[in-house]
Amino acid sequence: MLDRARELDAADPLSGYRDRFDLPDGVIYLDGNSLGALPRATSARMQQVIREEWGEGLIRSWNDADWISAARRVGGKIAPLIGAGPREVVACDSTSVNLFKLIAAALDMRSGRKVILSEPGNFPTDLYMIAGLERQGLAERRLAERDKLIGALDDDVALLLLTQVHYKSGAMHDMAGLTSAAHGAGALVLWDLSHSGGAMPVDLNACHADFAVGCGYKYLNGGPGAPAYAFVAERHHAALHQPLTGWFGHAAPFEFSDDYAPAPGIDRLQCGTSPILGLAALEVGVELIAEIGVDRLFGKSRALSEFFLECLVEQDLKLELVSPQDSAERGSQLSFRHPEAYAICQALIARGVIGDFRDPDILRLGFAPAYLRFEDMAEAARHLAEVLRTGEWERPEFRERAAVT
Ligand SMILES: *Cc1c(COP(=O)(O)O)cnc(C)c1O
């Protein structure tokens, strides 16, 4: 398989992009879906922002280096990756905070309705942010399994809140179909793109989506804790009222008025002062992903995951795949169920193959296509086979749980 892998790498039009990332030697990184790798250009850009814009320019840089429009500018660069217009996306806050703002805004737009419909097992923060609004008496959570979501839409549902690609299984929802069904029931739709944005083509406007949020530190390679992004379809801008009415979302923040007036467009989603260092790093990651192109990235990620499954067959490994078999129906990851998934994951990490574990029994391997090679697939499959065959994972040090798993 290694020979075939090398042939595939030689023929891969994206192979040159690996060099645009700073990857440690001896590591096969299968966790770009949790924390994207470091683009080579990021360090220099950060040095420039820190030394020149902050160190020399000081407060003048809000104008001179255009810090004031950084959130909108970076949002505008994310927009084409997710099928949004340039004035429909802003880079700000965390995904969790953006969820809160948009769930609350949707409830405000659908007065008389309180139900937020989602699925059990959605990413925890998505469900927890509903809980906060429930406690305030504003929302009511309803959960329905994937195949029962459409049947659970009724006159009480204000918002359908779903993650397009499931963080654990990698299964992808039908964005167009579910959005249209929700609209048919008079509800709005909020898509969490954390595991799809930057990894595959997403077409929010073609699907008539209302709202979306997503992470900057996963497939966009913005760095740990990078600012997130939020999308609001232009048709909703005028009627959108989010509850975190901070001064950066004000129509004229530097008039220092006593009264809040929302900015006319997507800027009303901002709250406090933009994290300029974080936005600078995110911008580098976004530009690189935009240069490669999400269509090409998804094509390669499908080829990588299909090749990895072939390598498992070649190694005679039979693992239970919980991701969809068809690569068109899943994101850039493969998840396997094994009762000892945690220890297996630790044994792989000790060999330099970094994947992750999701409670209670999922080994999750992400195939960020911008920097992985087919050779990495063959090697990772060989390591996995060796770990399982030798029982290496049974060593006690691989069973100790760290704070972050
Ligand atoms: C990673 C992830 C988040 C993370 O939210 P933060 O506020 O950045 O911690 C939210 N939703 C989904 C679906 C995710 O995968």
Side-chain angles (χ1 to χ4, degrees):
M1 288 311 257
L2 205 49
D3 289 341
R4 257 216 40 232
R6 289 187 176 139
E7 278 167 34
L8 289 166
D9 283 323
D12 170 19
L14 304 192
S15 62
Y17 287 105
R18 180 180 170 83
D19 250 5
R20 304 276 293 275
F21 291 87
D22 215 342
L23 293 159
D25 289 335
V27 163
I28 297 176
Y29 191 55
L30 306 184
D31 215 359
N33 48 318
S34 241
L35 175 63
L38 169 65
R40 276 197 202 281
T42 303
S43 304
R45 174 72 184 129
M46 292 304 282
Q47 285 299 314
Q48 185 193 21
V49 177
I50 291 170
R51 294 230 169 96
E52 294 172 24
E53 298 182 11
W54 176 14
E56 296 291 322
L58 291 166
I59 197 138
R60 295 169 289 190
S61 288
W62 281 102
N63 290 315
D64 297 349
D66 205 19
W67 287 353
I68 194 66
S69 41
R72 202 182 327 141
R73 184 179 70 244
V74 178
K77 291 180 183 179
I78 294 170
L81 306 178
I82 55 174
R87 286 180 304 279
E88 292 179 315
V89 182
V90 65
C92 62
D93 298 316
S94 63
T95 302
S96 302
V97 171
N98 288 332
L99 282 165
F100 180 84
K101 290 184 286 190
L102 290 174
I103 297 168
L107 286 164
D108 175 70
M109 286 166 77
R110 286 290 177 273
S111 56
R113 297 180 176 219
K114 275 174 103 172
V115 172
I116 311 297
L117 175 62
S118 192
E119 64 174 316
N122 193 356
F123 191 84
T125 212
D126 298 57
L127 299 179
Y128 301 165
M129 296 317 284
I130 305 172
L133 286 157
E134 255 183 321
R135 201 177 156 79
Q136 307 248 324
L138 298 169
E140 194 185 308
R141 187 178 86 165
R142 180 183 295 171
L143 302 181
E145 296 291 345
R146 317 197 122 208
D147 55 345
K148 305 219 161 52
L149 281 166
I150 290 182
L153 285 162
D154 61 25
D155 288 354
D156 295 325
V157 179
L159 179 75
L160 174 62
L161 164 61
L162 292 172
T163 301
Q164 186 187 14
V165 169
H166 197 274
Y167 78 102
K168 212 186 263 191
S169 70
M172 197 191 312
H173 275 300
D174 169 11
M175 181 183 276
L178 284 161
T179 302
S180 145
H183 287 170
L188 296 160
V189 187
L190 166 49
W191 289 100
D192 187 330
L193 307 178
S194 292
H195 285 277
S196 43
M200 62 177 61
V202 176
D203 216 340
L204 289 170
N205 280 334
C207 296
H208 304 289
D210 302 291
F211 312 117
V213 296
C215 278
Y217 52 80
K218 293 173 178 163
Y219 292 104
L220 294 179
N221 308 303
Y229 57 91
F231 157 88
V232 176
E234 197 151 16
R235 63 182 179 280
H236 293 314
H237 284 184
L240 184 102
H241 296 286
Q242 61 95 355
L244 301 184
T245 46
W247 74 307
F248 256 57
H250 194 279
F254 291 92
E255 284 179 10
F256 295 97
S257 154
D258 283 350
D259 300 308
Y260 182 79
I266 191 72
D267 278 343
R268 66 178 56 189
L269 233 60
Q270 293 193 58
C271 180
T273 307
S274 292
I276 296 302
L277 301 181
L279 283 170
L282 174 61
E283 189 164 20
V284 176
V286 169
E287 283 175 352
L288 181 49
I289 290 301
E291 180 187 332
I292 309 173
V294 281
D295 291 288
R296 294 203 295 170
L297 284 164
F298 191 42
K300 179 165 173 191
S301 104
R302 291 178 62 179
L304 286 171
S305 66
E306 284 166 11
F307 183 67
F308 183 78
L309 290 175
E310 277 177 51
C311 293
L312 293 188
V313 173
E314 167 85 9
Q315 293 283 351
D316 208 20
L317 266 193
K318 287 180 195 67
L319 280 170
E320 184 193 346
L321 179 67
V322 295
S323 306
Q325 274 291 341
D326 181 350
S327 64
E329 292 172 16
R330 62 179 186 237
S332 287
Q333 72 184 68
L334 287 173
S335 301
F336 301 95
R337 180 172 288 126
H338 192 290
E340 296 295 343
Y342 183 79
I344 293 166
C345 182
Q346 296 310 305
L348 283 173
I349 292 171
R351 285 166 169 259
V353 180
I354 304 181
D356 67 17
F357 161 79
R358 284 293 172 263
D359 216 40
D361 55 4
I362 301 292
L363 173 67
R364 188 174 71 158
L365 305 177
F367 302 104
Y371 42 85
L372 286 174
R373 300 168 297 193
F374 290 90
E375 182 178 333
D376 299 320
M377 302 297 101
E379 284 296 274
R382 177 178 64 78
H383 283 294
L384 180 55
E386 284 175 13
V387 163
L388 286 168
R389 231 168 256 136
T390 59
E392 191 171 306
W393 54 270
E394 290 180 64
R395 300 218 304 251
E397 70 261 34
F398 296 144
R399 293 171 169 280
E400 274 166 38
R401 300 253 176 139
V404 176
T405 60

